[in-house]
Every structure is written in C-alpha cells, then in structure tokens.
Amino acid sequence: MTKSDMKKILIKGLLFVALFFIVDRVSGYVFYFLEHKALQHSPNGMITEYTMEEVDSDVIIMGASDALHSYVSSIIEDSLGMSTYNCGKDGMRFYYQNAMVNGILDRYSPKLIIWSVSPVFLSAPSQEDRDAISDLNPWYRTNEFCRNAILMKSEFEYIKMMSYLYAFNSRLYAYLYKCVMPDYSYQPGGYAPVYGNLPDSKMEVRDYYDEDGLDEKSSKVLLSTLKRCRDAGTDVAFVLTPRYESGEYESISQYTELIDICEEYDAEIITDLFRDKDLLKPCYFKDAAHVNHDGAVLFTEKLVGELKALF
Amino acid sequence: MTFTSFNFLIFFPVVVILYNIVPAKWRIWFLLVASYFFYMNLQPVYALLLVAVTGFTYFSTRSIDMSDKEKTKKRMMRWGIILVLLPLLFFKYFAFINNAISDALVSSGLSLGLPKIELLLPVGISFYTFMAIGYIIDVYNEEVECEKNIASVGLFLSFFPLVLSGPIERAGNMFPQFAKMQSSKYSDLVKGAKLMMWGYFMKLCVADRLGIYVDAVFNNIANHNGTTLAFASVLYPFQVYADLGGYSLIAMGVARCLGFAVIPNFRRPFFATSMSEFWRRWHMSLIQWLTDYIYTPLSFILRGWKIWGIVAALMLTFLISGIWHGAALTFIVWGLVQGVYLSIEAMMQGKRSKFEKKHGLGEKWWYKLVCCIVVFVLFAFSQIFGRCANLQDASDVIGKIFMQHGPLFLDVTTLGYALTCLAILFIIDFRDEFLPNRFRLFESRYIVVRWLSYVAVIMLILSFGVLDSGQFIYFQF
C-alpha cells in the first residue's frame, strides 16, 4: 500500500466516521421523539417505557409473562383501595425486572411491589435472558441500574452502546406501530388476559435440581434493591405464581436463598398459592406456565385475601 | 469468533494492518497464524484435525508429484482422498450410521450394544475436506502444479475468510495469489468493505430476521396450521440465501481487503428460469466442485447409457450433495428430490426448447416470471426436507400445507423488519439482474450517492439487524 493510499484511507475514514456520528445522533433524537409519541398513544403497549417514565401507582406488579397474565390489576385495586399497575413483560427475567424496580424507585416510592417469581428466580441468566436486557437500552445513558444490567450482556457492550442506532435496535416499527394502533390486548392497569385452556392432561413433573444453580450476583443485586425498597418505605411481597407442574423445589439453592433474603429484609413471600389445589386444574391454565383469564381472576382474588392479612 | 461477533470487528482490522506491515516473505506465515488463531477461537482442539488434513493433503500431493509411475500416482491419490475423508466420515456420519445399524438390529430382535459416540462436528470440516480432495485430484490430473511450500497448503485449507463455510475454493485460484502475497490496494479495501457491508446486511437484516419467524414456526410444527407452514416454507429459501449468500459476501470482502480474489458463491438464484440454471446460481462453489469431481466423471463413465447415464449421474451427484449437507434421511431425500427435478428437466429439455421456440416465449417477461415462480416453488418444497429435523416432521408439514388451512400466524414487527429488508435485497438483486449499469448506489459516479448508500446500509444494519443472533446456518455442515 502506498503512502498516498494510506493518507486517502485515513482522511476518508475520518470523514466517514464524522458523517456517521452526525447521522447516529440525529437518529437518536428521532427515536426518542417517536418513543414519547408512542408512549402517549399506547401506554399499555409500551410497558418498559411506561414503567420507566410514567407509572405512578400505589401498587406495582413486577415480573415476566407470569405476572402480566396472572395478576388482574382491577381486582387488586378494588380490594386494596390503591391504584395498581401490572408492569410484567413477556420473556423478561430478573435483571430486567430489577432495573425496572430501581427505575421506579428513582422517581417515586410505591406503597407495595408484588413481585411474581418462580422457585428458580435467582438462577444464572441464560443467553436469552441477557439478550432480553436490550429492552433497557434507551435508558443506558440515564439510568445506572439499566446501564449495569446492559453491561452484563458482553464485554464490548459499552462500545456498542456509543451508537444510538444500536441502542434503539429493533424499535422503529414497534414505535411506529404503537403510534398508529392502540394495543387492545391489555386491560386498564396493564393486565393482559389470555384465553383458552389446557386439555385434560397429566401434570408435568419438573426437575428443579437439574437446572442452573444459584447466581450469586443476582442475590447480591436483589439484596441491594430490597434495601433500597426498605429505605424508601416500599413493601415488597414475592409471590410464587402458579404453574401447571409438579416437582420438588423447597430445598433448591435459588429458592432457599430467596427465602433467606426475604427474612433479612422483612420482605414477604407468598408460597401457598403456587400449588393451590383449587387452582391447579387444566381449566385454569392456558399452558403449563400461564393461567388463563379465569385462573387469573381466581388467583388474584385468593392473593388479595393473603395481602390483606399481611399488609 | 464468527464474522458477526464483535471480536471479529477488532480481529479483522488488526490483521489487515499487520498484513500490510509484515515483510512480503513472512506474510504467508502471518496469515497462517492468524487463520489458526481465528479457527482455534471457535474450536481449539479441532485445529489438530485441520493440521492432520493439511498433512495428509501435502504428503499425498507431494508423493503424486514425485512419482513417475501412473499406478503409484493413482494409489497415492486414492490414499490421500481416503485419509482426508476419514475425519469427515467419522465426525459427521459415525453417529448416523451407528444409530441406523443399532435401530436395524433392534427392529430385528438383536441388540449388540454398539458404543455411542456423540461428538461435536468440527466447524468447516465439510468445506476444507472438499477443498483438500479437489486439490489432490487436480494435482493427479496435472491441472495444478503441486505446491511445495507446506505453509501455502496449510493456508489454502485454513484461510480464515473461507475456513468456516466456504466458498469451496480451488487450488488453481488460490496458490498463484499466495505466491504473490501482494499488499492490499486502496481499491481492494474499498471493494472489500462494500462486499462486507452488503454481506452483513443480508445476514443480519434479512436472514436472521426471517429466521426468527421461520424458527418459531418450524420449531413448533404441531401448533401451526398449513397456511402458516406454507408461508414459513416460502420464507425459508430466502433465509438460506441471505444467510449463506451474506456469509459468502463477507468472506469475499474480507479476502479482498487482504488483496485476494475469491470465487463468488451466489448469483441472484431466484431469477433462474430452470432448475439447472438455478443450480448454476446457488452455492456455485459447491456445485462447481460436484460437477468437476463427481458429475462429469460419472456422466463420462455412464455415457453409454445416453440420457439415462445423465439421469444416473445427476441422481448420484445430488445424493452426494444431500449427504454432504448432513447425516440425516431428510438431507438424502432433499438431494434425491433435486436429482429428480434436474433429471426430469434434462429429459424434457428438447421438448421445452421446441415449445419455447414455436411460441416465441424465450424473451417474454411473463413467461420468465412464471418460470422463476415455478423454480422457486419447487426449490422451496424441497427445502422443507432441508429444514425439518426428520422425515416425520417433513411429511407433517407437507400434509398440513395441503390439508389444514387456517389463519396466518403473524408476528407483525418481526415480519415488518424482515420483509422490508427482503424487499430491499430483492430490488438490488433485480437491478443487478436486469439493469446492471443503472441506478448504481455503492458504485455510483457521485460520491454523495455512494456515501449516503454506505450510511443508509449501516443504519439499516444497526436499527433493523438482529445483533444478538448466533450462528450461520451452514456452520452445521
């Protein structure tokens, strides 16, 4: 390669980087604008954005799809007399949920957080779980908890996150769609019912011992979040949400650690609905991991009874 | 490390810079070390296999070259091919053959308890094995000169742009370039970067986006109706094209940045108007390899059978192609279906030509469109066997497509991104096919157009690409 070639590459390369930098920044502003437009038009369909920026309810339901489809916000609201919002989101696990809770605490202190969990809540995150954290990308620059979660994805994530286009990857159509079409799959309060039920079938036996073990980092992160909740005067109730399955879980490390953490920080953990005999019927389940609307109503009514006794 | 990993975006520029700094006589060794580093980053232990195949190839070709007797040459060629093939046969087909024998014994009431060995398939083994065999045969046929420098042979088989998924290169193309080891020119770097950019677009924006939908459907066949399965079956060929085509463009671009010209692998296959033309445009390096080393010798041997000799050669060639793709009955059926298509076409070629001539159809756009659609549908049908895990799944899919219609499963945003990017790819391919010198973007005379095109493609990759995705489909082969 000649010297003039090298000079040409250097000059053109720098110019190209400068051009891309400008385009990237402008795109970032456009994405932020679209995000706010979409949020105004369809708050329920923009769960992450709504949770991070707008929710102000007394009771917050946090979790993954099991939370979203199992906790009927209106029943809790009517029974406890407190405004309730279901912030559950499909496929989002512990680190996402933790960032959401901290994002809420940055803005205000809810009275109660109902945190839907499974016995393996504190397991090591899978690659899919890490990938799902991308939902937090828009808050990388503004929220410490989101940033910490995002940086777990890979060792080079901090370089990738320099680009706004990368941060808003796969969001354009979602924002445009939400700007045009309101999301009808949600009820007021963020609850999203699912319908249909399992055929009469034998209950699946799940071997919890065969799964990934306790993730110590998760338990440390949870401890600091619970401390923050305690300092903010926010009560936390973990709830083992019912699943149509059986299997021994009481002595797995993830579960015993969760119990210990709850004891340490005076957080409640409601476990008896997990294997409630009235609920564990195929007619109440859409699939093994999710109750249907009828199941959600029955489960929420039972849960409210327990919550009233506790708080 | 793969082409889509962030590590590669660090590794690659470092290699290009160092390659141009290193003195010319050391470049071959530098690229050899870089290639092994790249390969070992994926599967360290299996680099030993690559070394072994390189050793077998080198010594067999040297023996062929040094021998004067035809008989010895032939024997050395045969031994070379057998030794090079052994790792591929063992790693790729042992479990398949073992299970087939075990199942046959069990079904006949016998059980010998054959040992089960579950091994991870060494990445790229099918590709570098074929390259090695091609080189051995070429040396035997005196089509290329035997390479005396073992580093050249080592680099030929492990060259990092090609080692994982091809294109299946030829010694005749690569060794003269290795001998020169020229430094990269400015034009090579620009051309290479453009190829890579478009390859990344095809892979990340088209293949991986389509893959989300196709996988969601094909991984859950029982829960989807025929309409959805038909739609996913239509999308799958586009996914494979964008996946391997994208990979090949990245490979070509990487090689070009280092000053090497690598053979192309795809040439807008979905504009083919016959199956034979399709196979001259799809995975060209593999098909050229199969043509040169299997089909042509076979059809020569069977020339006495006339048209049936061609049919037999086609069937056998595509059977081998199927087996090359994977050790499963689905791939064997896939290969046979291709063989049947091509055989029927070969037998009807004369009648078709007469019919087209009689009605003046050859230049009619609508006739070409119909032919393209027919070829696509036939190929998409055969790809059902390539996509399904077993024959039962494939027959379920085909049965449902014809018998069980219903509402289409729609994942609006995924399909929105995928179909937008597919439309862009189609428009570019259409332009290249029918208007090759018009509406240039990357090659425009105007710098503004060129640079805006580069920025637009990078924007598309960053905002529409699947950036958390895993591997290329052809890594499994």
Side-chain angles (χ1 to χ4, degrees):
Chain A
M1 197 182 302
T2 62
K3 272 189 181 171
S4 74
D5 275 358
M6 278 195 226
K7 202 173 156 189
K8 217 154 92 177
I9 289 169
L10 205 67
I11 292 169
K12 286 196 173 181
L14 286 173
L15 278 174
F16 188 77
V17 169
L19 175 66
F20 179 73
F21 180 83
I22 295 165
V23 171
D24 188 66
R25 287 293 176 278
V26 171
S27 307
Y29 292 123
V30 171
F31 275 113
Y32 278 122
F33 171 79
L34 284 175
E35 181 212 322
H36 286 285
K37 279 278 164 207
L39 188 55
Q40 281 166 12
H41 196 259
S42 179
N44 284 333
M46 304 277 288
I47 301 171
T48 312
E49 289 78 2
Y50 186 74
T51 307
M52 288 298 290
E53 293 174 15
E54 299 218 340
V55 72
D56 58 359
S57 303
D58 297 326
V59 179
I60 292 294
I61 295 149
M62 183 52 64
S65 55
D66 51 346
L68 180 64
H69 305 305
S70 310
Y71 296 75
V72 187
S73 315
S74 56
I75 295 177
I76 298 173
E77 193 162 310
D78 294 345
S79 305
L80 299 184
M82 292 191 277
S83 60
T84 303
Y85 197 83
N86 189 328
C87 300
K89 187 165 183 182
D90 288 336
M92 299 297 163
R93 311 260 174 235
F94 172 69
Y95 283 100
Y96 168 89
Q97 295 166 20
N98 181 68
M100 289 290 106
V101 169
N102 281 288
I104 292 168
L105 290 172
D106 284 348
R107 290 191 294 108
Y108 79 104
S109 304
K111 290 179 181 147
L112 172 64
I113 294 173
I114 301 170
W115 203 328
S116 170
V117 294
S118 78
V120 289
F121 180 57
L122 293 176
S123 293
S126 66
Q127 190 55 48
E128 269 185 3
D129 299 340
R130 287 172 198 271
D131 289 347
I133 290 170
S134 300
D135 258 39
L136 304 172
N137 283 358
W139 295 275
Y140 176 81
R141 288 175 175 80
T142 53
N143 187 289
E144 180 197 340
F145 297 95
C146 291
R147 185 160 52 249
N148 290 340
I150 290 162
L151 291 178
M152 281 177 31
K153 279 179 68 185
S154 77
E155 54 190 329
F156 297 115
E157 211 57 27
Y158 69 98
I159 300 177
K160 297 178 191 174
M161 289 303 297
M162 286 177 184
S163 163
Y164 281 86
L165 282 165
Y166 175 82
F168 283 97
N169 172 264
S170 307
R171 281 202 162 62
L172 180 64
Y173 281 2
Y175 290 163
L176 292 176
Y177 186 71
K178 295 282 166 25
C179 282
V180 182
M181 299 283 291
D183 208 317
Y184 296 113
S185 52
Y186 297 87
Q187 288 190 356
Y191 161 67
V194 285
Y195 299 96
N197 57 268
L198 283 171
D200 277 329
S201 58
K202 216 177 162 187
M203 195 180 285
E204 193 185 318
V205 181
R206 181 168 168 180
D207 187 0
Y208 288 97
Y209 293 91
D210 215 24
E211 296 178 23
D212 294 334
L214 170 71
D215 178 37
E216 294 199 350
K217 192 175 173 192
S218 297
S219 62
K220 274 185 196 159
V221 169
L222 182 62
L223 275 171
S224 72
T225 301
L226 288 182
K227 184 174 181 300
R228 223 181 143 201
C229 290
R230 193 172 63 183
D231 294 346
T234 299
D235 289 319
V236 179
F238 290 98
V239 182
L240 286 185
T241 308
R243 298 173 69 99
Y244 194 68
E245 63 189 21
S246 60
E248 290 293 317
Y249 63 89
E250 285 85 351
S251 57
I252 60 167
S253 57
Q254 300 97 308
Y255 181 68
T256 54
E257 178 74 3
L258 181 62
I259 299 282
D260 291 347
I261 290 172
C262 289
E263 273 176 18
E264 198 176 334
Y265 280 94
D266 290 334
E268 298 296 338
I269 179 157
I270 298 169
T271 59
D272 49 346
L273 297 174
F274 188 50
R275 296 280 160 83
D276 186 279
K277 278 182 185 164
D278 297 336
L279 270 164
L280 283 194
K281 293 172 182 164
C283 62
Y284 288 130
F285 282 84
K286 161 77 177 157
D287 54 52
H290 305 101
V291 290
N292 59 23
H293 181 58
D294 293 341
V297 169
L298 179 61
F299 165 68
T300 312
E301 281 169 351
K302 282 179 172 256
L303 175 68
V304 164
E306 301 227 3
L307 289 172
K308 276 183 177 168
L310 287 169
F311 299 103
Chain B
M1 189 178 358
T2 64
F3 288 166
T4 51
S5 65
F6 197 79
N7 299 19
F8 183 76
L9 297 182
I10 297 169
F11 168 82
F12 170 63
V14 171
V15 168
V16 173
I17 291 167
L18 290 179
Y19 175 77
N20 284 288
I21 293 171
V22 170
K25 64 174 177 177
W26 294 111
R27 280 186 186 145
I28 195 160
W29 289 101
F30 169 73
L31 279 186
L32 188 62
V33 170
S35 297
Y36 269 87
F37 175 81
F38 176 81
Y39 191 81
M40 287 169 74
N41 225 280
L42 269 176
Q43 289 181 325
V45 180
Y46 289 155
L48 292 173
L49 268 184
L50 197 50
V51 172
V53 170
T54 302
F56 297 147
T57 309
Y58 180 75
F59 289 111
S60 61
T61 49
R62 290 287 285 149
S63 309
I64 293 167
D65 188 45
M66 285 189 292
S67 172
D68 297 329
K69 291 177 187 164
E70 177 57 26
K71 210 173 173 184
T72 318
K73 278 177 189 268
K74 200 169 206 169
R75 198 171 60 232
M76 294 320 295
M77 178 197 67
R78 282 180 181 159
W79 272 110
I81 292 173
I82 289 168
L83 288 172
V84 163
L85 264 178
L86 274 179
L88 177 68
L89 294 175
F90 180 72
F91 281 94
K92 198 162 180 173
Y93 305 109
F94 179 83
F96 174 68
I97 294 166
N98 197 36
N99 291 344
I101 294 171
S102 294
D103 291 348
L105 288 173
V106 168
S107 63
S108 59
L110 291 165
S111 180
L112 296 178
L114 293 173
K116 281 211 164 187
I117 304 175
E118 298 291 341
L119 289 163
L120 199 63
L121 184 69
V123 175
I125 191 168
S126 308
F127 293 89
Y128 65 72
T129 301
F130 267 33
M131 282 166 65
I133 293 171
Y135 172 50
I136 294 168
I137 297 173
D138 285 351
V139 170
Y140 172 75
N141 289 337
E142 295 178 4
E143 283 175 10
V144 294
E145 279 190 28
C146 175
E147 179 57 53
K148 293 179 179 65
N149 183 355
I150 193 165
S152 282
V153 179
L155 182 59
F156 172 60
L157 297 178
S158 66
F159 190 38
F160 75 89
L162 313 178
V163 70
L164 302 183
S165 287
I168 300 171
E169 258 297 354
R170 299 305 183 83
N173 182 39
M174 294 311 286
F175 284 141
Q177 299 187 67
F178 289 160
K180 289 179 190 157
M181 282 287 167
Q182 290 170 331
S183 60
S184 320
K185 293 190 196 82
Y186 174 77
S187 57
D188 286 335
L189 287 170
V190 173
K191 177 79 181 161
K194 287 175 191 173
L195 288 169
M196 287 175 72
M197 214 187 292
W198 193 242
Y200 279 118
F201 170 79
M202 285 176 72
K203 164 67 183 161
L204 299 172
C205 299
V206 183
D208 289 350
R209 277 286 162 204
L210 289 173
I212 295 173
Y213 183 83
V214 171
D215 289 350
V217 175
F218 272 96
N219 292 345
N220 203 357
I221 292 165
N223 290 333
H224 287 288
N225 61 41
T227 312
T228 301
L229 286 164
F231 186 55
S233 302
V234 166
L235 294 182
Y236 184 59
F238 291 117
Q239 186 201 344
V240 181
Y241 166 52
D243 190 276
L244 185 59
Y247 175 91
S248 303
L249 283 181
I250 300 169
M252 285 169 71
V254 169
R256 180 55 76 94
C257 287
L258 293 163
F260 298 98
V262 171
I263 53 173
N265 230 358
F266 287 84
R267 193 166 49 84
R268 303 175 293 284
F270 299 123
F271 291 112
T273 52
S274 65
M275 282 312 287
S276 51
E277 188 191 352
F278 178 86
W279 280 109
R280 288 194 296 273
R281 291 164 173 256
W282 179 277
H283 206 172
M284 290 146 67
S285 66
L286 173 68
I287 295 308
Q288 194 56 50
W289 192 99
L290 291 169
T291 305
D292 290 351
Y293 302 113
I294 312 270
Y295 174 75
T296 306
L298 266 177
S299 48
F300 182 75
I301 293 166
L302 303 173
R303 64 190 180 282
W305 297 7
K306 294 184 179 166
I307 186 69
W308 294 107
I310 291 172
V311 168
L314 281 170
M315 293 301 292
L316 264 170
T317 304
F318 275 91
L319 177 65
I320 290 167
S321 172
I323 293 169
W324 177 89
H325 276 86
L329 286 173
T330 46
F331 287 113
I332 291 173
V333 173
W334 176 88
L336 291 174
V337 171
Q338 306 302 337
V340 168
Y341 288 161
L342 287 164
S343 300
I344 293 172
E345 196 173 274
M347 288 194 286
M348 293 181 67
Q349 186 56 45
K351 283 179 185 165
R352 181 180 169 174
S353 298
K354 269 186 202 167
F355 180 79
E356 284 173 352
K357 215 172 180 180
K358 187 179 170 188
H359 298 281
L361 295 171
E363 292 308 313
K364 291 217 163 81
W365 69 267
W366 59 265
Y367 177 72
K368 282 185 180 174
L369 178 65
V370 170
C371 291
C372 288
I373 292 170
V374 170
V375 168
F376 178 81
V377 170
L378 290 173
F379 182 69
F381 174 79
S382 71
Q383 284 289 89
I384 293 172
F385 295 98
R387 179 60 185 80
C388 288
N390 52 55
L391 286 180
Q392 182 59 50
D393 280 0
S395 75
D396 287 351
V397 170
I398 294 164
K400 279 188 167 189
I401 285 174
F402 287 106
M403 309 293 286
Q404 196 193 82
H405 299 159
L408 184 65
F409 162 62
L410 276 177
D411 175 353
V412 177
T413 48
T414 298
L415 282 175
Y417 293 120
L419 297 179
T420 304
C421 296
L422 185 60
I424 294 170
L425 176 62
F426 177 81
I427 290 166
I428 298 295
D429 275 4
F430 183 89
R431 181 208 60 191
D432 289 344
E433 183 71 21
F434 299 109
L435 308 160
N437 295 314
R438 297 185 65 189
F439 310 113
R440 308 305 301 173
L441 296 170
F442 280 7
E443 310 297 337
S444 171
R445 282 186 294 153
Y446 308 106
I447 188 169
V448 178
V449 176
R450 285 202 307 272
W451 281 44
L452 285 178
S453 318
Y454 305 152
V455 171
V457 171
I458 294 176
M459 281 177 73
L460 279 171
I461 293 169
L462 286 174
S463 45
F464 284 16
V466 180
L467 303 177
D468 295 319
S469 130
Q471 294 206 332
F472 290 86
I473 293 173
Y474 266 67
F475 279 9
Q476 67 188 298
F477 305 139

